[in-house]
Amino acid sequence: MPALLLIDDDKGLTQLLSEYLIGQGFTVRIAENGRLGLRAMFERHPDLILLDVTMPEKDGWETLQRIREVSDQPVIMLTARGDESDILKGFSQGADDYVTKPFSFAQLTARIRAVLARSAQGGAPGEGTLSAGGLKVDLSLKRVWRDGEILSLTPTEFKLLVALMRREKEVVSPEDLVREVWGAQYANETGHVRRYIWHLRQKVELDPENPRYIHNERGYGYRFETSDSSSAR
Amino acid sequence: MKSDFISLVSHELRAPLTALNGGLELAMQSAETLPPKARDILEIMTAESRRLTDFVQSILDVSRLEAGKMDVAPGPVAVRPLVEQAATVVLASNQRDVDWHIAKNLPPIWADETYLEQVIRNLIRNADKYSTEEYPIHICASQQGEQVRISIKDHGPGIAPEDQSHIFDRFTRLQNDERAPSGWGLGLYLGQKLVAAQQGSLNVDSPLWDDPRDPGSEFYILMPIVQTPEDEL
């Protein structure tokens, strides 16, 4: 039974959320501020920490910083702030995921399970991750990092990259890419795939004119391959 | 000042809304065991809570946009899949006919696909709300020079010329009687701002049809097509 530590000063929310999570098969310990949360973390060693950002006595950021000094236990940040800059700050400080209020309990539960599954794989690339040549894709977070730096891809660009990485070293035809990214009903509309690839390269490649990841196979399609990588998994 | 106040209040509502929605989610898990009357009340509360959550989210989106804090992430977007997806989501639960006129081989547009789909969904939802089911909604897309024009036409009551100039203002609702469909008067305001943030425009044309019994409105979006250097493709 996975043990969760919920650090949040909102008593109404913590009471309801803990009841819901217990019903989903977790054990839940509640701490109402960062200081008590850190103490509970040392005492209980939870499998995952749910951490509110806005709290008295050590806010979520400061608490996260202290957690990361001593532990790599997975942390999901809960916050009322949904700006992209806040989300990026969370990831750069070592948060494993970020959920914006108001969230549904079912949605949060799904994210907890995804982060726990990743954590069980020791953070190594597994089913939820693709990795090759400094490029890392988290399939559940829908995030991409290149050499540790987060990249800002649109949902379509993300799907394109994943479609190519899943078939590393294979030539993927424009028809197959369209079928995978947009759906089979659009399989004949391949005329603009090269434009999507051009824009994807601008974001993913350090030098788009000399691509390291996405290569043209003129007349056939595109191939994802890095000269210095192990297989994408 | 007023806008800051609304934004602050909305922000503060996010945490209690999480608890409220979560509590209802928890209660709905055992709804089968409740008497029919109590179950009905719970379902109404859930629907109203969701409506309030959407409203708060809209206010926050508006305040983020007005403060220049809305992170628009543009990229190439295929028009047909985006528009068809939006229509599927909005019209999934009813029998409304759609008259499709999407030109073949439309070039991708330069847009934030998440926000653009949000705007198009809202326009389709409005067309559905403001016209009777016996008529179809007309969804069209075509290239006009360096832009793509996406339009949603209905057979509703239309919008008088004197009202068209402020239909995109905040909290504007032209129909305020008891028969008026529910809404907050924020959708078009937010839509126009969101489209403008993506270098596009959202406009209205009304009446549309010769028959005075179904004067109708057409909301149309103009978005720039993707600029890609041809020699680098």
Side-chain angles (χ1 to χ4, degrees):
Chain A
M1 195 179 279
L4 308 177
L5 171 60
L6 171 56
I7 310 175
D8 194 324
D9 63 324
D10 184 337
K11 286 185 181 157
L13 175 62
T14 54
Q15 187 189 336
L16 291 165
L17 182 54
S18 61
E19 196 172 323
Y20 182 91
L21 291 170
I22 289 166
Q24 297 295 313
F26 299 97
T27 62
V28 183
R29 163 105 179 191
I30 298 169
E32 62 187 46
N33 60 47
R35 189 176 51 78
L36 293 172
L38 286 167
R39 186 188 294 171
M41 184 194 78
F42 285 117
E43 286 171 6
R44 302 287 175 130
H45 301 287
D47 296 304
L48 183 143
I49 299 166
L50 297 164
L51 177 59
D52 185 33
V53 169
T54 314
M55 288 184 296
E57 292 195 57
K58 271 195 202 313
D59 69 10
W61 299 125
E62 206 183 336
T63 307
L64 177 62
Q65 206 175 353
R66 287 284 296 120
I67 290 171
R68 282 292 167 259
E69 282 167 14
V70 294
S71 161
D72 56 2
Q73 274 151 318
V75 175
I76 298 179
M77 304 297 286
L78 310 177
T79 178
R81 297 177 64 92
D83 295 342
E84 182 73 3
S85 55
D86 286 306
I87 295 170
L88 295 181
K89 181 179 176 184
F91 284 125
S92 71
Q93 291 196 2
D96 294 84
D97 203 352
Y98 193 100
V99 180
T100 307
K101 294 176 184 175
F103 53 79
S104 84
F105 287 0
Q107 176 203 350
L108 176 64
T109 305
R111 306 279 276 264
I112 291 171
R113 292 196 203 285
V115 171
L116 282 173
R118 269 207 311 280
S119 169
Q121 291 153 359
E127 282 183 16
T129 319
L130 299 171
S131 184
L135 208 59
K136 185 183 156 199
V137 175
D138 189 310
L139 297 169
S140 59
L141 292 179
K142 309 273 188 275
R143 298 266 169 192
V144 180
W145 290 262
R146 183 189 58 216
D147 300 327
E149 180 198 354
I150 197 159
L151 304 179
S152 176
L153 302 189
T154 68
T156 298
E157 288 166 342
F158 180 85
K159 286 186 213 161
L160 261 179
L161 180 62
V162 169
L164 289 164
M165 285 182 81
R166 281 195 195 281
R167 294 168 64 178
E168 191 187 11
K169 296 180 183 171
E170 286 179 37
V171 178
V172 186
S173 69
E175 289 79 8
D176 281 355
L177 279 176
V178 170
R179 198 172 287 123
E180 203 150 327
V181 174
W182 287 278
Q185 67 271 40
Y186 307 107
N188 295 328
E189 299 179 27
T190 58
H192 300 292
V193 169
R194 57 202 177 120
R195 294 182 198 280
Y196 292 97
I197 294 288
W198 187 89
H199 285 279
L200 178 60
R201 277 203 186 111
Q202 304 306 305
K203 295 183 180 176
V204 169
E205 304 282 0
L206 272 173
D207 179 2
E209 287 184 22
N210 297 292
R212 178 182 169 197
Y213 301 111
I214 303 167
H215 307 275
N216 279 7
E217 291 293 340
R218 198 167 288 278
Y220 296 100
Y222 302 92
R223 177 173 46 86
F224 183 94
E225 184 166 17
T226 61
S227 52
D228 56 343
S229 70
S230 56
S231 293
R233 286 174 290 164
Chain B
M1 179 72 178
K2 190 176 160 192
S3 164
D4 286 349
F5 174 72
I6 292 172
S7 164
L8 184 72
V9 169
S10 303
H11 207 79
E12 290 300 316
L13 282 173
R14 294 173 78 152
L17 271 174
T18 311
L20 188 61
N21 290 339
L24 288 166
E25 220 177 321
L26 200 55
M28 286 298 279
Q29 284 184 336
S30 48
E32 294 298 314
T33 62
L34 296 172
K37 179 100 176 160
R39 205 161 55 223
D40 289 349
I41 291 171
L42 208 53
E43 276 168 10
I44 292 168
M45 286 172 69
T46 302
E48 289 303 306
S49 178
R50 196 171 298 135
R51 210 157 75 85
L52 183 59
T53 305
D54 289 346
F55 176 59
V56 167
Q57 193 55 53
S58 297
I59 296 256
L60 288 166
D61 284 348
V62 165
S63 60
R64 270 216 296 272
L65 253 179
E66 289 179 344
K69 286 186 181 168
M70 194 75 134
D71 300 296
V72 175
V77 175
V79 175
R80 183 194 295 273
L82 183 98
V83 177
E84 288 181 351
Q85 164 75 8
T88 302
V89 170
V90 175
L91 304 175
S93 60
N94 66 23
Q95 301 297 312
R96 168 77 71 177
D97 284 336
V98 177
D99 176 31
W100 290 97
H101 292 276
I102 308 273
K104 281 191 176 161
N105 294 317
L106 276 180
I109 54 175
W110 188 247
D112 181 310
E113 57 192 87
T114 306
Y115 288 142
L116 186 63
E117 189 183 328
Q118 181 184 329
V119 175
I120 291 172
R121 277 191 205 184
N122 185 53
L123 295 177
I124 296 172
R125 198 173 290 122
N126 282 349
D128 186 40
K129 272 198 304 193
Y130 286 96
S131 55
T132 53
E133 276 190 14
E134 62 190 293
Y135 296 108
I137 294 172
H138 307 260
I139 300 180
C140 314
S142 60
Q143 185 172 354
Q144 294 194 344
E146 294 299 297
Q147 294 178 310
V148 168
R149 185 182 195 275
I150 304 165
S151 80
I152 288 97
K153 298 184 203 177
D154 62 41
H155 290 265
I159 300 164
E162 63 272 21
D163 290 328
Q164 290 178 22
S165 58
H166 54 87
I167 187 83
F168 296 102
D169 292 347
R170 259 189 307 191
F171 301 113
T172 297
R173 304 209 60 221
L174 297 180
Q175 219 181 322
N176 273 320
D177 55 46
E178 282 179 359
R179 291 166 303 150
S182 64
W184 305 96
L186 275 176
L188 288 176
Y189 172 75
L190 187 60
Q192 196 176 52
K193 294 270 183 198
L194 274 175
V195 170
Q198 300 171 60
Q199 316 307 317
S201 63
L202 168 62
N203 298 290
V204 65
D205 196 6
S206 182
L208 284 184
W209 316 104
D210 294 333
D211 187 338
R213 288 170 299 177
D214 51 312
S217 304
E218 177 187 40
F219 285 88
Y220 60 95
I221 296 169
L222 294 168
M223 293 300 296
I225 63 173
V226 164
Q227 298 298 323
T228 317
E230 292 296 322
D231 57 336
E232 291 183 25
L233 290 174

Short mmCIF file of all heavy atoms in Angstrom, two decimals, chain B residues 19-42:
data_model
loop_
_atom_site.label_atom_id
_atom_site.label_comp_id
_atom_site.label_asym_id
_atom_site.label_seq_id
_atom_site.Cartn_x
_atom_site.Cartn_y
_atom_site.Cartn_z
N ALA B 19 -11.59 21.71 -3.06
CA ALA B 19 -12.21 20.93 -1.99
C ALA B 19 -13.68 20.64 -2.31
O ALA B 19 -14.16 19.52 -2.12
CB ALA B 19 -12.09 21.68 -0.67
N LEU B 20 -14.37 21.66 -2.83
CA LEU B 20 -15.80 21.50 -3.15
C LEU B 20 -15.99 20.43 -4.24
O LEU B 20 -16.78 19.49 -4.08
CB LEU B 20 -16.34 22.84 -3.64
CG LEU B 20 -17.83 22.97 -3.86
CD1 LEU B 20 -18.58 22.72 -2.57
CD2 LEU B 20 -18.16 24.36 -4.39
N ASN B 21 -15.24 20.55 -5.33
CA ASN B 21 -15.35 19.57 -6.43
C ASN B 21 -14.94 18.19 -5.95
O ASN B 21 -15.57 17.19 -6.29
CB ASN B 21 -14.48 19.97 -7.61
CG ASN B 21 -15.01 21.20 -8.33
OD1 ASN B 21 -16.17 21.53 -8.20
ND2 ASN B 21 -14.15 21.88 -9.07
N GLY B 22 -13.86 18.15 -5.15
CA GLY B 22 -13.36 16.87 -4.66
C GLY B 22 -14.36 16.21 -3.73
O GLY B 22 -14.59 15.00 -3.79
N GLY B 23 -14.97 17.03 -2.86
CA GLY B 23 -15.98 16.50 -1.94
C GLY B 23 -17.16 15.92 -2.71
O GLY B 23 -17.68 14.84 -2.38
N LEU B 24 -17.56 16.61 -3.76
CA LEU B 24 -18.67 16.10 -4.58
C LEU B 24 -18.26 14.82 -5.31
O LEU B 24 -19.06 13.89 -5.44
CB LEU B 24 -19.11 17.18 -5.59
CG LEU B 24 -19.85 18.36 -4.96
CD1 LEU B 24 -19.94 19.53 -5.94
CD2 LEU B 24 -21.25 17.94 -4.54
N GLU B 25 -17.00 14.79 -5.76
CA GLU B 25 -16.48 13.59 -6.43
C GLU B 25 -16.55 12.40 -5.46
O GLU B 25 -16.97 11.30 -5.84
CB GLU B 25 -15.02 13.88 -6.78
CG GLU B 25 -14.57 13.39 -8.12
CD GLU B 25 -13.11 13.80 -8.37
OE1 GLU B 25 -12.73 14.93 -7.99
OE2 GLU B 25 -12.37 12.99 -8.92
N LEU B 26 -16.15 12.69 -4.22
CA LEU B 26 -16.16 11.66 -3.17
C LEU B 26 -17.61 11.19 -2.92
O LEU B 26 -17.88 9.99 -2.85
CB LEU B 26 -15.56 12.28 -1.90
CG LEU B 26 -15.03 11.40 -0.80
CD1 LEU B 26 -13.98 10.44 -1.33
CD2 LEU B 26 -14.41 12.27 0.29
N ALA B 27 -18.52 12.15 -2.79
CA ALA B 27 -19.92 11.81 -2.53
C ALA B 27 -20.53 11.04 -3.69
O ALA B 27 -21.33 10.12 -3.49
CB ALA B 27 -20.71 13.09 -2.25
N MET B 28 -20.15 11.40 -4.91
CA MET B 28 -20.72 10.74 -6.10
C MET B 28 -20.31 9.26 -6.17
O MET B 28 -20.98 8.46 -6.81
CB MET B 28 -20.29 11.44 -7.39
CG MET B 28 -20.98 12.77 -7.64
SD MET B 28 -22.77 12.60 -7.84
CE MET B 28 -22.87 12.08 -9.54
N GLN B 29 -19.20 8.93 -5.48
CA GLN B 29 -18.76 7.53 -5.50
C GLN B 29 -19.79 6.61 -4.83
O GLN B 29 -19.89 5.44 -5.16
CB GLN B 29 -17.43 7.38 -4.75
CG GLN B 29 -16.26 7.88 -5.56
CD GLN B 29 -14.94 7.65 -4.84
OE1 GLN B 29 -14.89 7.54 -3.62
NE2 GLN B 29 -13.87 7.57 -5.60
N SER B 30 -20.53 7.20 -3.88
CA SER B 30 -21.54 6.36 -3.21
C SER B 30 -22.95 6.81 -3.56
O SER B 30 -23.91 6.57 -2.83
CB SER B 30 -21.31 6.36 -1.70
OG SER B 30 -21.15 7.69 -1.26
N ALA B 31 -23.08 7.50 -4.71
CA ALA B 31 -24.39 8.04 -5.12
C ALA B 31 -25.43 6.94 -5.31
O ALA B 31 -26.63 7.15 -5.07
CB ALA B 31 -24.23 8.85 -6.40
N GLU B 32 -24.96 5.75 -5.73
CA GLU B 32 -25.90 4.64 -5.98
C GLU B 32 -26.69 4.26 -4.72
O GLU B 32 -27.79 3.75 -4.82
CB GLU B 32 -25.12 3.41 -6.47
CG GLU B 32 -24.47 3.60 -7.84
CD GLU B 32 -25.49 3.86 -8.93
OE1 GLU B 32 -26.49 3.13 -8.97
OE2 GLU B 32 -25.28 4.80 -9.72
N THR B 33 -26.06 4.52 -3.58
CA THR B 33 -26.72 4.10 -2.32
C THR B 33 -27.69 5.17 -1.80
O THR B 33 -28.38 4.95 -0.81
CB THR B 33 -25.66 3.86 -1.22
OG1 THR B 33 -24.98 5.10 -0.99
CG2 THR B 33 -24.65 2.80 -1.64
N LEU B 34 -27.73 6.31 -2.47
CA LEU B 34 -28.57 7.42 -1.98
C LEU B 34 -29.98 7.33 -2.55
O LEU B 34 -30.18 6.77 -3.64
CB LEU B 34 -27.95 8.76 -2.38
CG LEU B 34 -26.58 9.10 -1.79
CD1 LEU B 34 -26.03 10.36 -2.45
CD2 LEU B 34 -26.70 9.30 -0.28
N PRO B 35 -30.97 7.94 -1.86
CA PRO B 35 -32.31 8.02 -2.44
C PRO B 35 -32.26 8.87 -3.71
O PRO B 35 -31.41 9.77 -3.82
CB PRO B 35 -33.14 8.71 -1.36
CG PRO B 35 -32.29 8.79 -0.16
CD PRO B 35 -30.88 8.56 -0.54
N PRO B 36 -33.17 8.60 -4.68
CA PRO B 36 -33.13 9.32 -5.97
C PRO B 36 -33.08 10.84 -5.81
O PRO B 36 -32.36 11.53 -6.51
CB PRO B 36 -34.41 8.87 -6.66
CG PRO B 36 -34.75 7.58 -6.05
CD PRO B 36 -34.23 7.60 -4.65
N LYS B 37 -33.84 11.38 -4.86
CA LYS B 37 -33.90 12.83 -4.68
C LYS B 37 -32.52 13.38 -4.29
O LYS B 37 -32.05 14.39 -4.84
CB LYS B 37 -34.94 13.13 -3.58
CG LYS B 37 -35.10 14.57 -3.25
CD LYS B 37 -36.30 15.14 -3.92
CE LYS B 37 -36.52 16.58 -3.49
NZ LYS B 37 -37.35 17.29 -4.42
N ALA B 38 -31.87 12.70 -3.35
CA ALA B 38 -30.54 13.15 -2.90
C ALA B 38 -29.53 13.04 -4.04
O ALA B 38 -28.66 13.90 -4.21
CB ALA B 38 -30.10 12.31 -1.71
N ARG B 39 -29.67 11.99 -4.85
CA ARG B 39 -28.76 11.80 -5.99
C ARG B 39 -28.93 12.93 -7.00
O ARG B 39 -27.97 13.47 -7.53
CB ARG B 39 -29.04 10.45 -6.63
CG ARG B 39 -27.87 9.89 -7.37
CD ARG B 39 -27.99 8.41 -7.59
NE ARG B 39 -29.22 8.02 -8.25
CZ ARG B 39 -29.96 6.98 -7.90
NH1 ARG B 39 -29.61 6.22 -6.90
NH2 ARG B 39 -31.06 6.68 -8.56
N ASP B 40 -30.19 13.30 -7.25
CA ASP B 40 -30.47 14.41 -8.17
C ASP B 40 -29.82 15.70 -7.68
O ASP B 40 -29.22 16.46 -8.44
CB ASP B 40 -31.98 14.63 -8.33
CG ASP B 40 -32.63 13.50 -9.11
OD1 ASP B 40 -31.87 12.70 -9.69
OD2 ASP B 40 -33.87 13.43 -9.13
N ILE B 41 -29.98 15.93 -6.37
CA ILE B 41 -29.42 17.17 -5.79
C ILE B 41 -27.89 17.18 -5.96
O ILE B 41 -27.29 18.17 -6.36
CB ILE B 41 -29.80 17.29 -4.28
CG1 ILE B 41 -31.31 17.54 -4.18
CG2 ILE B 41 -29.01 18.39 -3.60
CD1 ILE B 41 -31.86 17.46 -2.76
N LEU B 42 -27.30 16.02 -5.71
CA LEU B 42 -25.84 15.89 -5.84
C LEU B 42 -25.40 16.16 -7.29
O LEU B 42 -24.38 16.83 -7.53
CB LEU B 42 -25.45 14.47 -5.41
CG LEU B 42 -24.07 14.26 -4.84
CD1 LEU B 42 -23.79 15.21 -3.70
CD2 LEU B 42 -23.91 12.81 -4.37
#
